[in-house]
Amino acid sequence: MTVEDLGARPKRRRAETVERLLDAALETFAEVGFAAASVEDICRRGGFTRGAFYSSFRTKDELFGALFARETTRDLARAEQQLTGIEREADPVAAAVERCLSTFRADRTWVLVLTEYRLHAARHPEAAAALAEHAAELHTRLTELIGGAATRSGVRLTLPAGDLARIITALHDGSVISHLPGAGPLDDAEATALERTALVLLLRAAVSDPAPTD
Amino acid sequence: MTVEDLGARPKRRRAETVERLLDAALETFAEVGFAAASVEDICRRGGFTRGAFYSSFRTKDELFGALFARETTRDLARAEQQLTGIEREADPVAAAVERCLSTFRADRTWVLVLTEYRLHAARHPEAAAALAEHAAELHTRLTELIGGAATRSGVRLTLPAGDLARIITALHDGSVISHLPGAGPLDDAEATALERTALVLLLRAAVSDPAPTD
């Protein structure tokens, strides 16, 4: 057994602890809100001591940064997988929306928590700076994803991929916030249908299709 | 002096008190958030006693309902005025966006406060029910406004005016929340430009222009 082997198990265990802390934090933030959630609440829900929390994160804000990275990386990976091969579909725009909609709609808890953090950041400059850094990273990767899908599909975007990335994100976040489950005028199926309509409208306007030739 | 004259002055004074309470509440909610704002905070900011508050509203939630009605009625009246005569513009869609954008962008404090209330409503069924009622009223009036402007401009909408109303609202709310002043990656001019681009894209896709003839 080498020294590296001896270090591998604690490292893996630590990563598992972080994952479970993030799960507990997401649930706690969703239930009571970021501001109202205490480190104690998060630890209680996850079955951790405060020591376990503070050996992984210095503050609740630092944990939020890790949560942001995990949730957005997961969503991006899913979207990337779902966009694979859309260039072979008869209608790549409709296919892209249909395939990604389930991922979009599944992350409503995350959008709620992110929105609350944005409101928190609007009142706390340090949180705003950290959020801006995370958001810039996400924006870069989402821009690449959209630009890549457009190139492969042979469509030309009528605006920069980065602008389209921001508009799609704003539309999605606004759709979720306007129609939070239990608090909006629409039921889930209606809200999903409306978001589909909005995304298809927007994307059709954002691509200039090559004239159909055959 | 008639009995009615005797009653008119207190009535006017009471209406003024309500207006100033709503101003103080909007500022307080924007500064510390709906949940954190106490009735005492609102009264202190507006220079009122708690008695003045409770003679106008039973609860903070009831005050929010009055604030919702005031803010949205004001925005709708402005938008209605701004849309007057767009049918005489060469490009009614671009004109509608350009004219309404300043009203849209001026109400960011309200969007912030409304968003916080939506998150509150997602956790408080009674607040959700009251919000749904107010939102339905706004939705009806916004749908009429959009439908009327489309008819006067001689454009056919490619989707129901009610759906378009919901999509525009979601896009606007999402744009504001993604780019809150001081907390977003864009400065104010960039955020305004992006919202203009998004609205023009969306509306061009939502209207089927009559072929230009002259």
Side-chain angles (χ1 to χ4, degrees):
Chain A
M1 201 178 241
T2 67
V3 175
E4 271 161 272
D5 286 333
L6 282 170
R9 195 176 297 180
K11 209 171 168 185
R12 195 167 57 235
R13 195 174 298 158
R14 193 156 173 269
E16 285 167 9
T17 301
V18 167
E19 280 304 303
R20 284 170 48 211
L21 272 169
L22 295 182
D23 291 340
L26 182 60
E27 287 171 19
T28 310
F29 294 157
E31 194 172 301
V32 302
F34 179 83
S38 67
V39 168
E40 284 75 11
D41 291 336
I42 297 168
C43 291
R44 200 178 310 124
R45 184 177 288 260
F48 290 106
T49 60
R50 283 170 54 97
F53 182 99
Y54 287 110
S55 73
S56 297
F57 303 108
R58 274 170 304 171
T59 62
K60 204 168 58 163
D61 285 86
E62 190 175 295
L63 176 146
F64 183 86
L67 188 60
F68 186 103
R70 184 182 81 168
E71 298 298 308
T72 56
T73 299
R74 190 182 283 175
D75 280 358
L76 275 169
R78 274 193 203 137
E80 191 159 14
Q81 199 181 359
Q82 284 159 334
L83 290 177
T84 303
I86 50 154
E87 63 275 15
R88 290 190 295 273
E89 299 275 354
D91 183 342
V93 164
V97 171
E98 209 48 58
R99 292 186 185 187
C100 291
L101 202 60
S102 61
T103 296
F104 267 49
R105 299 294 302 170
D107 78 347
R108 281 168 299 167
T109 301
W110 166 241
V111 172
L112 185 152
V113 168
L114 171 60
T115 300
E116 255 164 348
Y117 196 81
R118 281 174 171 153
L119 298 168
H120 163 77
R123 297 183 183 111
H124 298 89
E126 281 175 26
L131 181 59
E133 216 172 287
H134 289 297
E137 166 79 15
L138 168 63
H139 177 67
T140 302
R141 294 175 59 196
L142 189 56
T143 301
E144 285 168 4
L145 188 68
I146 291 171
T151 304
R152 289 200 314 277
S153 305
V155 296
R156 198 177 60 78
L157 295 177
T158 60
L159 75 170
D163 287 0
L164 186 55
R166 289 200 200 285
I167 293 170
I168 289 173
T169 309
L171 181 62
H172 173 57
D173 293 356
S175 299
V176 172
I177 291 303
S178 305
H179 307 119
L180 284 172
L186 305 185
D187 69 25
D188 191 47
E190 290 168 324
T192 303
L194 193 69
E195 185 162 358
R196 179 187 292 113
T197 301
L199 285 170
V200 169
L201 264 189
L202 189 69
L203 288 180
R204 290 225 189 285
V207 305
S208 101
D209 274 307
T213 51
D214 53 343
Chain B
M1 200 177 243
T2 66
V3 174
E4 273 162 89
D5 287 333
L6 283 169
R9 195 175 297 181
K11 208 172 168 185
R12 195 167 56 238
R13 195 172 299 157
R14 188 150 178 275
E16 285 167 8
T17 301
V18 167
E19 281 303 303
R20 285 171 47 214
L21 271 169
L22 295 182
D23 291 340
L26 182 59
E27 287 170 20
T28 310
F29 294 158
E31 195 173 297
V32 302
F34 179 83
S38 67
V39 168
E40 284 76 13
D41 291 337
I42 297 168
C43 292
R44 200 177 310 125
R45 185 178 287 260
F48 290 107
T49 59
R50 284 169 54 98
F53 182 99
Y54 287 110
S55 74
S56 297
F57 303 107
R58 274 170 303 170
T59 62
K60 204 168 58 162
D61 284 87
E62 189 174 295
L63 176 145
F64 183 85
L67 188 59
F68 186 103
R70 184 182 82 168
E71 298 298 309
T72 56
T73 299
R74 189 183 285 175
D75 280 358
L76 275 169
R78 275 194 201 136
E80 191 159 16
Q81 199 181 2
Q82 285 160 334
L83 290 178
T84 303
I86 51 154
E87 64 274 15
R88 289 189 297 273
E89 299 276 354
D91 183 342
V93 165
V97 171
E98 208 50 58
R99 290 186 187 189
C100 292
L101 202 60
S102 62
T103 296
F104 266 47
R105 299 293 303 170
D107 77 348
R108 280 167 300 167
T109 301
W110 165 241
V111 173
L112 186 152
V113 168
L114 171 60
T115 300
E116 256 165 348
Y117 196 81
R118 282 174 169 153
L119 297 170
H120 163 77
R123 298 184 182 110
H124 298 88
E126 281 175 27
L131 181 59
E133 216 172 289
H134 290 296
E137 166 79 17
L138 168 63
H139 177 67
T140 302
R141 295 174 60 196
L142 189 56
T143 300
E144 285 168 5
L145 188 68
I146 291 172
T151 304
R152 290 200 314 279
S153 303
V155 296
R156 197 177 61 79
L157 295 178
T158 60
L159 75 172
D163 287 0
L164 185 56
R166 289 200 202 285
I167 293 171
I168 289 173
T169 309
L171 181 62
H172 173 57
D173 293 356
S175 299
V176 171
I177 290 303
S178 305
H179 307 119
L180 285 171
L186 306 185
D187 68 25
D188 192 47
E190 290 168 324
T192 303
L194 193 69
E195 186 162 357
R196 179 187 294 113
T197 301
L199 285 170
V200 170
L201 264 189
L202 189 69
L203 289 180
R204 289 224 189 285
V207 306
S208 99
D209 273 307
T213 50
D214 54 344

